[in-house]
Amino acid sequence: MSKKRLASLTTLFLVFVSAAVTAQEDDLGTEVVNIVKPYTPTISDAFKVKETPVLNDSLTTQKQQVNYSIFSVPVASTFTPAKGKAATVEKAKPMKLYDNYATLGFGNYTSILAELYSNFEISRTDNAGFFFRHNSSQGDIEGVLLENKYYDTSLDGNYTSRQRDASYSIDAGIKHQLFNWYGLPEFAEEELILLNESLDVQQTYFSGNLGGSMQLDDSFFEGIAANVRFLSDAYGSSEFNFTALPEFSFPLTEFTLKIDGDVDYLSGSFERNYFAEIPIDYSFLNVGLAPSLVYVNNDLTLSLGVAGYVSLDSENSETNFSIFPRINASYRLVDELLIVYGGAEGGVEQNSYYDFKEENPYVSPTLQIMPTNNLYNAFGGLKGKLSNSVGYNVRGSYGKAENRALFQINPLNDVSPSESYQYGNSFKIVYDDINTLSFFGELKVEVSEVFSLGINGEYFSYNTTDQAHAWNLPDFKATVFSNFNITEELYGGVSLFYVGERMDQVVAYSPDIDPFPTEVTLDGYADVNVHVGYRVNDRLSIFAKGSNLLSDNYQKSYNYPVQGIQGLLGATYKFDW
């Protein structure tokens, strides 16, 4: 380090020491500071000027007072407003409703139609009524040798009560029917003509029923319907049938649990079979339970369930247990325009003598009765409304049934015919396992109350197991109907029915040859019907009906031709007691 730089640092050090010594020698004294409170800042209020300023203008103008008056001058006008008048709405005259009516008509073939309906209002909630009906004809069918008249008379009564939380009804009725087995084969007719003999082929049925139903609101037990029916005929046959259908419903969170019950007891007897005096007895008890879950919202309706049945055959000491599907679903694809639906259903169908004679009154009192198991019937289709007045429905289905009942003509008992139904002029029941494929279509047009039109058709294809054909079942059915009102007084309607071909099998028995079957084909037939009516007043109207206007003596069943053109003229009178 140079001497010059060292001398500079020594001088700077002495200056700092001298300053420090001088500072320690000065006496600054002491001072006490008292703090009263901490400082708190505030904002002073703003004071507004409340005085009105005085204007010191050099020029001021005095307001002038103005006096004025209104001079009213009328305006000349040639317009005179018309007085207002409320518009009137033409109301249709309400139709007078009557509690009773009577109908009486007469036609060719000495036909008679008579009806009487009456309703009595016992109170605001209770009603009672009855209905009497008689329909008969003396026959006179062209080309028929035997008596072919028929009578059909019934009387029904009912009582209903509608309470706040429940409603119930009771109904009872009796029915009397008379028919003749007039459908003889040609060779049997020829034999009777040669022998100059005639047969008493009359059969009568008498039946009665007593039943009722009950519906409850706001209860898991929704209701029940029950019926007891009795049937007898002129040949000592009898049948008793009891049915009960209870319904239960249990609302869940999003679904509803429904449980439907089915109790069907059938017991009956025939005094003999077709060939020998050996009695036929039958007794069946079918008990079913069908639970299902039902879901409904704006577009979807769904029901998923099964049906379980226990069937007891008392005469043969047999018990069967079966389960069947109960599935239904529908979905609105396009509001009311397009709805798709489908499902599968099955169950036990208890056949009875009463049901068979209702479908074909020319059955012999020698039937084999047993239930039919409809294993399933799967279906699917589309339905909807093309407009407010046009609706449609198309459906396809495929089903399988065990022991399906088929009508078949009875054989001619050429060995020893002792009864009037043993000449090949009555029908028996045969059973077979059948698969059925069908397609159905329907179109309805309802323009207004003035005009409506409907058409539907269904095609069938059968696959049998033991029988050669599905006897007397058509391969096609179609219906066209229309109702119209020409004026307020004049009304009418037209209907056309078509039934396709059917097959039957004729078996001849003879002491010289073995029985041999022959298949026969029944042609399809069309039946055109027309009715017109005229309302004379609110109470009285007259009508005319025409049936089988094509004058075709077609055979509805083998060897059973129908009457030709049928006309009926009558009147209906409405009244109050």
Side-chain angles (χ1 to χ4, degrees):
M1 179 181 298
S2 64
K3 294 180 179 180
K4 186 178 181 178
R5 187 175 182 182
L6 179 59
S8 298
L9 289 174
T10 302
T11 302
L12 182 62
F13 173 74
L14 292 176
V15 172
F16 276 107
V17 170
S18 175
V21 171
T22 303
Q24 289 178 356
E25 291 179 353
D26 292 338
D27 186 8
L28 298 178
T30 60
E31 184 177 356
V32 178
V33 178
N34 295 324
I35 299 175
V36 180
K37 65 175 182 178
Y39 173 72
T40 302
T42 59
I43 300 176
S44 300
D45 292 334
F47 295 94
K48 296 181 180 180
V49 178
K50 298 180 180 180
E51 296 181 356
T52 302
V54 178
L55 299 177
N56 295 321
D57 293 341
S58 59
L59 295 177
T60 59
T61 304
Q62 185 70 26
K63 292 183 179 180
Q64 298 293 327
Q65 184 176 2
V66 179
N67 296 324
Y68 61 91
S69 64
I70 299 174
F71 182 67
S72 178
V73 178
V75 179
S77 175
T78 59
F79 172 74
T80 304
K83 293 183 178 180
K85 184 178 180 181
T88 59
V89 178
E90 295 184 1
K91 297 181 180 179
K93 185 179 180 181
M95 181 178 293
K96 170 67 176 177
L97 300 178
Y98 297 92
D99 292 333
N100 318 279
Y101 79 86
T103 297
L104 184 62
F106 300 93
N108 59 338
Y109 298 100
T110 320
S111 300
I112 300 176
L113 173 64
E115 293 181 356
L116 176 61
Y117 173 79
S118 185
N119 180 71
F120 305 94
E121 185 177 354
I122 300 175
S123 66
R124 294 180 59 185
T125 60
D126 295 5
N127 289 77
F130 70 87
F131 179 61
F132 170 80
R133 190 176 193 275
H134 172 81
N135 186 20
S136 64
S137 176
Q138 296 303 312
D140 300 329
I141 300 176
E142 182 181 356
V144 175
L145 179 64
L146 301 179
E147 181 66 66
N148 51 85
K149 64 182 179 182
Y150 71 87
Y151 298 146
D152 191 347
T153 306
S154 62
L155 176 62
D156 297 288
N158 64 83
Y159 178 86
T160 59
S161 179
R162 298 170 298 277
Q163 304 300 323
R164 184 171 61 178
D165 298 327
S167 62
Y168 59 88
S169 65
I170 301 174
D171 56 84
I174 56 175
K175 180 185 290 188
H176 177 264
Q177 297 171 299
L178 184 150
F179 296 94
N180 287 276
W181 290 296
Y182 64 85
L184 285 178
E186 293 183 3
F187 52 85
E189 289 186 346
E190 294 174 356
E191 183 177 352
L192 290 176
I193 294 174
L194 291 175
L195 296 177
N196 194 23
E197 295 180 356
S198 182
L199 291 174
D200 181 11
V201 291
Q202 181 174 294
Q203 167 69 303
T204 58
Y205 302 101
F206 179 80
S207 62
N209 70 280
L210 174 64
S213 63
M214 178 177 62
Q215 290 81 35
L216 301 177
D217 297 333
D218 301 328
S219 174
F220 67 89
F221 177 59
E222 289 192 338
I224 186 173
N227 186 69
V228 177
R229 187 183 64 240
F230 175 78
L231 171 67
S232 64
D233 66 10
Y235 286 82
S237 309
S238 63
E239 185 179 76
F240 174 82
N241 184 217
F242 169 76
T243 59
L245 300 171
E247 297 179 355
F248 301 87
S249 179
F250 303 91
L252 304 178
T253 304
E254 294 184 355
F255 292 83
T256 299
L257 175 62
K258 288 185 173 291
I259 300 178
D260 297 333
D262 185 1
V263 179
D264 194 326
Y265 174 74
L266 180 72
S267 177
S269 65
F270 299 102
E271 290 195 345
R272 56 168 297 161
N273 64 22
Y274 190 75
F275 295 103
E277 295 185 1
I278 301 175
I280 301 175
D281 297 320
Y282 55 93
S283 178
F284 297 94
L285 175 62
N286 302 298
V287 179
L289 198 64
S292 61
L293 287 175
V294 179
Y295 174 78
V296 179
N297 66 7
N298 294 333
D299 298 321
L300 177 64
T301 300
L302 180 64
S303 176
L304 301 176
V306 295
Y309 277 85
V310 176
S311 301
L312 175 64
D313 183 354
S314 301
E315 293 296 326
N316 297 315
S317 300
E318 294 181 357
T319 303
N320 296 315
F321 178 75
S322 306
I323 296 179
F324 308 94
R326 293 287 176 88
I327 301 173
N328 283 277
S330 66
Y331 185 75
R332 300 175 186 269
L333 290 178
V334 186
D335 294 332
E336 296 291 336
L337 177 64
L338 181 60
I339 301 175
V340 58
Y341 66 94
E345 295 183 344
V348 175
E349 178 184 356
Q350 180 58 66
N351 300 304
S352 66
Y353 184 29
Y354 180 89
D355 294 333
F356 288 145
K357 68 92 178 173
E358 286 291 294
E359 185 174 354
N360 185 347
Y362 308 111
V363 293
S364 64
T366 59
L367 303 179
Q368 296 292 331
I369 305 295
M370 64 176 62
T372 296
N373 288 337
N374 295 310
L375 299 182
Y376 61 86
N377 181 34
F379 61 91
L382 301 172
K383 63 181 180 179
K385 290 184 177 181
L386 300 178
S387 66
N388 291 333
S389 58
V390 181
Y392 69 93
N393 184 14
V394 292
R395 180 183 69 243
S397 65
Y398 181 80
K400 181 179 180 62
E402 291 181 344
N403 296 327
R404 180 170 179 177
L406 304 171
F407 292 100
Q408 190 181 78
I409 193 72
N410 269 319
L412 171 63
N413 188 358
D414 199 25
V415 180
S416 57
S418 58
E419 303 291 348
S420 57
Y421 54 79
Q422 293 180 321
Y423 290 82
N425 57 336
S426 63
F427 291 85
K428 63 180 178 179
I429 298 295
V430 296
Y431 297 89
D432 196 9
D433 298 343
I434 300 178
N435 297 342
T436 304
L437 174 66
S438 69
F439 296 97
F440 172 82
E442 181 180 34
L443 183 66
K444 289 183 178 180
V445 179
E446 188 170 350
V447 178
S448 64
E449 295 181 357
V450 177
F451 176 78
S452 63
L453 173 67
I455 180 172
N456 62 69
E458 189 166 11
Y459 168 79
F460 302 92
S461 177
Y462 308 100
N463 183 14
T464 59
T465 303
D466 297 325
Q467 302 294 326
H469 298 279
W471 309 117
N472 284 291
L473 292 181
D475 56 359
F476 182 74
K477 293 192 301 183
T479 303
V480 180
F481 60 90
S482 175
N483 295 304
F484 51 84
N485 291 320
I486 301 175
T487 64
E488 291 185 358
E489 295 81 16
L490 188 60
Y491 62 92
V494 179
S495 60
L496 168 64
F497 303 94
Y498 177 79
V499 178
E501 289 186 349
R502 291 136 294 139
M503 300 293 296
D504 205 338
Q505 181 174 265
V506 179
V507 180
Y509 284 84
S510 174
D512 300 326
I513 58 176
D514 294 331
F516 61 93
T518 302
E519 294 182 0
V520 293
T521 301
L522 281 73
D523 295 332
Y525 63 88
D527 196 330
V528 178
N529 306 282
V530 175
H531 72 273
V532 293
Y534 181 79
R535 300 182 183 92
V536 180
N537 51 46
D538 289 343
R539 294 178 178 266
L540 179 64
S541 61
I542 57 177
F543 62 86
K545 295 181 179 181
S547 303
N548 195 15
L549 298 182
L550 299 179
S551 188
D552 183 10
N553 292 95
Y554 58 84
Q555 294 186 14
K556 199 170 184 179
S557 300
Y558 182 63
N559 285 332
Y560 277 86
V562 301
Q563 296 172 339
I565 296 179
Q566 305 158 40
L568 184 74
L569 182 63
T572 297
Y573 183 75
K574 304 174 184 178
F575 61 96
D576 289 328
W577 294 108

